[in-house]
Amino acid sequence: MMRGALTALSLLALGAPAWAAPLVVTAPQQAPAGHDRPRIFLGGSIDMGRAADWQADLTRTLGDLDVVILNPRRPDWNPEWKPVAEEPEFRRQVEWELAALESADIIVMVLAPGSQSPISLLETGLHARGGKLILLCPEGFWRKGNVDITAERYGIEQVATMDELAAAVRRRVADWTVPETSPQE
């Protein structure tokens, strides 16, 4: 009887841990091998470090969630790295981002006014049909019209504010289920 009660209490605690916090994986760190909690990719305006660090703000806002946050904004980015395939650190960054996008369950895309964010536009196009995107593209983003039309065509969820973005992420996390693994061969 006592063992059953303790087991029930421990299962309740596991269902809604009060100590939940995101695991933040920053490029080029490797994501965990297991996929036992939702993965959120924080795509969007970085502009070689010139854009506001909205990723840090959103991570703090989601700080009570038991998720993996995949953040491409790396603290050791060197603007001297040439954006060519032969540059080892540049290649490492791009390959990390592509792998993180593919493994993500939720892709957040923030296209900030005053930025151009060409890589974020590329990533939006790559994942427009995947059902993973939540897009924040406020007035003032230089290609907002293109983004809005593309989002409408492919059913991308759009939000208007960072608060709405956080709420949309929370809804997706609440609906998340562990992905099925393919059978071992």
Side-chain angles (χ1 to χ4, degrees):
M1 176 77 169
M2 183 65 144
R3 175 181 276 172
L6 289 174
T7 301
L9 285 173
S10 66
L11 288 175
L12 284 174
L14 288 175
W19 60 89
L23 169 64
V24 179
V25 179
T26 305
Q29 296 172 328
Q30 190 157 337
H35 199 134
D36 58 349
R37 53 187 168 163
R39 293 179 179 209
I40 305 167
F41 182 87
L42 302 184
S45 300
I46 296 176
D47 285 359
M48 305 295 280
R50 291 185 305 272
D53 192 356
W54 63 268
Q55 293 93 342
D57 294 339
L58 186 59
T59 298
R60 277 190 296 278
T61 300
L62 302 175
D64 62 317
L65 297 179
D66 189 21
V67 297
V68 175
I69 293 181
L70 304 167
N71 187 352
R73 186 186 287 255
R74 67 191 268 186
D76 66 341
W77 180 257
N78 183 343
E80 300 298 315
W81 294 332
K82 292 183 177 15
V84 296
E86 297 76 24
E87 170 65 56
E89 284 302 316
F90 179 77
R91 173 179 285 281
R92 187 175 179 202
Q93 178 74 22
V94 172
E95 288 176 349
W96 183 93
E97 289 183 28
L98 292 170
L101 282 158
E102 288 173 9
S103 79
D105 302 296
I106 302 163
I107 299 173
V108 168
M109 198 60 66
V110 175
L111 302 171
S115 70
Q116 293 207 328
S117 306
I119 303 310
S120 299
L121 290 171
L122 170 70
E123 293 167 345
T124 299
L126 284 171
H127 295 278
R129 296 178 182 203
K132 298 179 183 184
L133 278 169
I134 304 172
L135 179 62
L136 172 57
C137 183
E139 293 296 329
F141 183 72
W142 75 295
R143 302 307 298 190
K144 180 169 175 47
N146 294 78
V147 171
D148 289 345
I149 293 166
T150 301
E152 182 181 317
R153 161 133 325 157
Y154 296 109
I156 298 169
E157 180 178 3
Q158 280 193 276
V159 297
T161 66
M162 288 299 285
D163 287 341
E164 289 178 18
L165 179 63
V169 170
R170 287 180 180 282
R171 280 191 302 277
R172 296 258 187 115
V173 167
D175 293 340
W176 182 81
T177 57
V178 175
E180 290 185 29
T181 56
S182 56
Q184 299 283 335
E185 295 184 27

